[in-house]
Amino acid sequence: MINLLVEVMMKASRPLRSKLGLIVLAAGLALLTLTSWSLQSAEVDPNQIKFPNQFDSWQATVEQEEREDMLAQYPASIILWAGSSFAKEYHSPRGHQFAVADVTHTLRTGVAIAEGDKGLSASCWTCKTPDAPRLMKEMGIEGYSGANFVDLGREIKSVVYCSDCHVDGSEKLALPRPHAQDAMAKIKLPFDKQDTTMQGAQVCGQCHVTYYFQPEKSNKVNIPWIFGSTADDIEKYYDTRRFYEWIHPISKTPILKARHPEFEHWSRSTHAKKGVTCITCHMPATKDAQGNTFTDHKVAGAMDNFEQTCASCHSSKAAMVKKLDKTKANIEAKARNVESLLVQAHYEAKAAWDAGATWPQMNDSIMAIRHAQWRWDFAMASHGLYAHNPKEGVALLDMATEQITYGREALARVLNQLSVEKVEYPDYSTKEKAHAAIGFIEADAIKAKQAFIKEEVDKHWQPVAKTGY
């Protein structure tokens, strides 16, 4: 491009034989040299030029910086997740621009590991950056997932981006993550056979979905939908293969963990049946200052854009907010009740084990804890459940209540057989007390994390790993 401009200037200056002409030519060449240097030294994003409104609204997700400490808000979760990294730190999500930085800084991903240790799987990067699909292609899927999270940190250069959802440089939708391609095929919704409405939902669903790390496949990401995508179907899959994420240190229960199953809940909702998707509500069509219509990529709450997203079906925002508040309060009350019952069950199981209980005696109780906690988690790990599919959320929590009640009744019989008259329950009324109950010293973990950030991340990782910190 620069060479072409030079050629044009040389031809244009031929008639200029005067000193002034030479001065103009010299100035023009100097300007071109500066322009060339500027273009080479600064990365110009072609998507920003081609899709400026979408790009700017995507960048605006950096404004969505507020988050809640969910462990402080719901300290019972610390007891339920004891033995896993989820009990260390758990915040509500922020805007897409923080995806890489938040997974970098959270206590859940720990620090650099000792040489020879396996550490945390690089699969934790999978939904945070378009560098993940790139690394999978370069290293092979299992080569990537078998690598250590920290070891690939220096390779992460960008955060959730256009190419995570589109064929790069175009509006055409794409599903670049292999685990999502496999999962959609399992439930007979192959991506390339869907209309753009369903493809849009699937694009969101490649990350806003539950998953686990497949141990026999070097911890690659896998969505457990062989039997279907309901909590029952996924539980059947896990139970059939005797899978568990960790053994609970208090009750010895083999625990299952749900991870933000928004796609699953949405897929069975009234909205889904009417063709209303994640994009309809969270990325509505809007207009810029010149009146041009574009899809808002800031990914905000549906109620923030009621007129564009909801008004065609719901006549009153006030009535809708009132209904949502009531539904949320009902789900929250049921969830807190289940949490209380689960905490008691974990400690009652501990008391039974301490008194000499055997696995034949404990099997029914332990399985009840496993299944009840799975349903509680499948409901509560889903962001916006009270709006996406409250009916299913209530059903999950009601079933969890039945299961854990049965489990505690079975535990009461075992405790009676073992002559256990008193069970010690912890005080978990605050995050600090719950952490003390499970023996986790948050200050030590924070100190180690800060040292890792200072010595590794600040010195060697890309700026995207520091956004918001």
Side-chain angles (χ1 to χ4, degrees), residues 100-102 104-105 125 153 156-157 453 457-458 461-469:
V100 168
D102 283 348
T104 297
H105 286 254
W125 290 117
I156 307 304
K157 304 170 184 177
I453 296 294
V457 176
D458 288 348
W461 291 23
Q462 298 293 325
V464 70
K466 307 165 195 175
T467 302
Y469 289 89

Side-chain angles (χ1 to χ4, degrees), residues 153-155 454-462 466:
R154 300 186 189 189
E155 290 283 342
K454 181 179 179 181
E455 293 302 317
E456 173 62 21
V457 176
D458 288 348
K459 290 181 180 179
H460 304 294
W461 291 23
Q462 298 293 325
K466 307 165 195 175

Side-chain angles (χ1 to χ4, degrees), residues 128-390:
K128 311 301 181 184
T129 170
D131 289 304
R134 170 181 66 81
L135 290 167
M136 289 180 203
K137 290 178 182 178
E138 293 175 6
M139 304 171 69
I141 296 175
E142 289 190 44
Y144 161 80
S145 62
N148 181 262
F149 173 82
V150 169
D151 289 345
L152 291 190
R154 300 186 189 189
E155 290 283 342
I156 307 304
K157 304 170 184 177
S158 57
V159 74
V160 179
Y161 178 69
C162 313
S163 58
D164 283 315
C165 306
H166 300 275
V167 175
D168 201 18
S170 80
E171 298 178 16
K172 185 177 180 181
L173 293 169
L175 201 68
R177 286 164 176 76
H179 71 262
Q181 298 164 11
D182 294 344
M184 297 306 167
K186 287 175 189 173
I187 57 173
K188 296 182 172 48
L189 291 174
F191 182 74
D192 60 349
K193 303 295 183 184
Q194 308 310 306
D195 60 25
T196 54
T197 299
M198 176 53 79
Q199 283 186 336
Q202 289 179 322
V203 164
C204 299
Q206 67 183 319
C207 293
H208 292 268
V209 66
T210 199
Y211 63 90
Y212 74 104
F213 293 167
Q214 203 167 2
E216 71 275 19
K217 296 286 187 179
S218 302
N219 286 324
K220 80 177 184 71
V221 175
N222 189 40
I223 298 177
W225 288 353
I226 285 180
F227 298 122
S229 65
T230 67
D232 290 352
D233 290 334
I234 297 173
E235 178 187 82
K236 177 182 176 182
Y237 169 76
Y238 284 146
D239 284 355
T240 299
R241 70 195 309 269
R242 298 173 183 265
F243 174 81
Y244 58 89
E245 301 240 10
W246 76 91
I247 299 294
H248 200 284
I250 297 167
S251 65
K252 297 186 180 180
T253 301
I255 296 292
L256 300 173
K257 182 74 186 77
R259 294 172 175 86
H260 41 72
E262 284 91 47
F263 184 88
E264 291 92 335
H265 288 307
W266 164 82
S267 68
R268 293 180 286 275
S269 69
T270 300
H271 280 150
K273 292 173 184 175
K274 293 181 178 295
V276 176
T277 72
C278 333
I279 293 170
T280 311
C281 297
H282 300 287
M283 300 175 65
T286 189
K287 291 185 178 181
D288 64 14
Q290 289 71 44
N292 300 311
T293 301
F294 69 99
T295 302
D296 190 344
H297 281 60
K298 193 174 180 179
V299 194
M303 300 305 291
D304 296 338
N305 301 289
F306 180 85
E307 293 302 323
Q308 298 104 300
T309 61
C310 311
S312 60
C313 296
H314 302 275
S315 58
S316 169
K317 181 176 180 179
M320 191 172 175
V321 169
K322 184 177 180 180
K323 182 179 180 180
L324 287 173
D325 286 346
K326 182 178 179 180
T327 301
K328 185 176 183 179
N330 182 38
I331 288 175
E332 291 281 332
K334 288 177 180 292
R336 302 295 84 79
N337 180 56
V338 173
E339 290 163 9
S340 175
L341 297 175
L342 281 166
V343 169
Q344 292 175 75
H346 280 295
Y347 280 89
E348 287 158 1
K350 180 183 185 302
W353 290 121
D354 290 347
T358 63
W359 272 107
Q361 287 177 294
M362 296 290 285
N363 186 68
D364 282 359
S365 302
I366 294 302
M367 290 302 286
I369 295 173
R370 170 182 167 91
H371 291 160
Q373 185 158 321
W374 162 247
R375 282 170 179 75
W376 162 80
D377 212 346
F378 200 80
M380 302 317 295
S382 183
H383 308 307
L385 173 71
Y386 64 96
H388 294 158
N389 196 335

